[in-house]
Structures are given as C-alpha cells and as structure tokens.
Amino acid sequence: MKSPFCTSAIAVALAAAGFIAAPAAQATLGQRTDSVAADATRLSAIAHASSVHAAYTLHTITLPSGTVVREYAGADGIVFGVAWDGPTLPDLKAALGPAFDRFTHANPSRGAGPLAVSASDLVVYSSGHLRAFSGHAYLPQALPAGVDATAVR
C-alpha cells in the first residue's frame, strides 16, 4: 500500500513536469498579438478563435491538453490581459513575459493557497490542482478605457 505522502509526491512531480514541458502557446502580457495565430498553428491547437468587443479583441486558444487560454488585446494590439483554465497550466513564463519574474518574486514560498499578486502595475491570480487549473493576469495601466478588470476572466 502506498503512503499518502508518496501519492502526493507523485502528483506534485507530474504537475511540475507538465509545467516545465508546456510549450509557449500565447502572446505575452504587455506585448503585441502578432504571434497568436502562428503559435496556435505551430502547436496544433484544437481551436483558435477571435471575437471583437467594444474596446478589445478576445483571442481564445484551446491547447491539445484541453486548457483554454484567453488573451485580451486593446485596439493598439497590445495584450493587456490573459486568463486560463483547464487540466494543465499554460506556460506562465511565456504568458506573463517580463512580469513573470515579478510574479515569482512576490510568491517566494507558496503555501496551500493560490498564487496571487495585486499591485498597481500587475495583477495575477493562479490556483488549482492536478487537472483543474485556472487564473488570470492583467496590467491595470494597460486596460482600455471603459474596460473593467473583471472582463479578464
């Protein structure tokens, strides 16, 4: 009989391996969306759709793992928000770009709760467990006029 510790350790190792091996699948927070379609094609995404809203464009990419990544870009083509949910984490380093270091430094020792940063220039919330991850990140100063932060979900 396996101990609960052994089972937990295996689950953590599998989750970490999935995170490390996850390929870049999205434009980077704060950067242009030029590469979204090319990334979706290169990764054999199950689906890639765009929808235009009043002040932003929503790009939705479904990864082969089933994880859905939503990218929110203003009229200027700059990604101001990214959200995700699904059985695996997207490559957060690629998704957050330069903000990734700030995110990891704000969470040096993760407890049992979600990872979160709430600052004037960056908001990130990531939670979940094996096969059920979700989160969002956005740049408050980059939100288009008239767009509420709750749109990034």
Side-chain angles (χ1 to χ4, degrees):
M1 181 171 148
K2 290 184 180 179
S3 73
F5 175 75
C6 181
T7 303
S8 295
I10 292 170
V12 168
L14 287 173
F19 175 72
I20 291 167
Q26 57 281 338
T28 302
L29 190 63
Q31 303 297 314
R32 299 198 56 79
T33 60
D34 298 340
S35 67
V36 174
D39 287 344
T41 300
R42 182 177 54 83
L43 294 169
S44 303
I46 296 168
H48 173 221
S50 297
S51 59
V52 179
H53 297 262
Y56 63 91
T57 301
L58 173 60
H59 299 275
T60 304
I61 296 176
T62 303
L63 304 179
S65 67
T67 295
V68 176
V69 178
R70 293 172 301 283
E71 304 164 346
Y72 301 80
D76 58 1
I78 301 296
V79 176
F80 65 86
V82 179
W84 58 90
D85 61 85
T88 63
L89 279 170
D91 181 347
L92 292 180
K93 186 168 187 169
L96 299 178
F100 182 77
D101 288 337
R102 170 136 187 208
F103 173 62
T104 57
H105 285 72
N107 292 287
S109 58
R110 180 175 192 259
L115 297 173
V117 173
S118 184
S120 63
D121 61 339
L122 175 66
V123 174
V124 182
Y125 180 86
S126 182
S127 67
H129 53 82
L130 192 58
R131 305 216 34 90
F133 294 96
S134 65
H136 62 271
Y138 64 92
L139 303 171
Q141 74 279 9
L143 289 169
V147 176
D148 188 71
T150 59
V152 183
R153 297 282 182 246

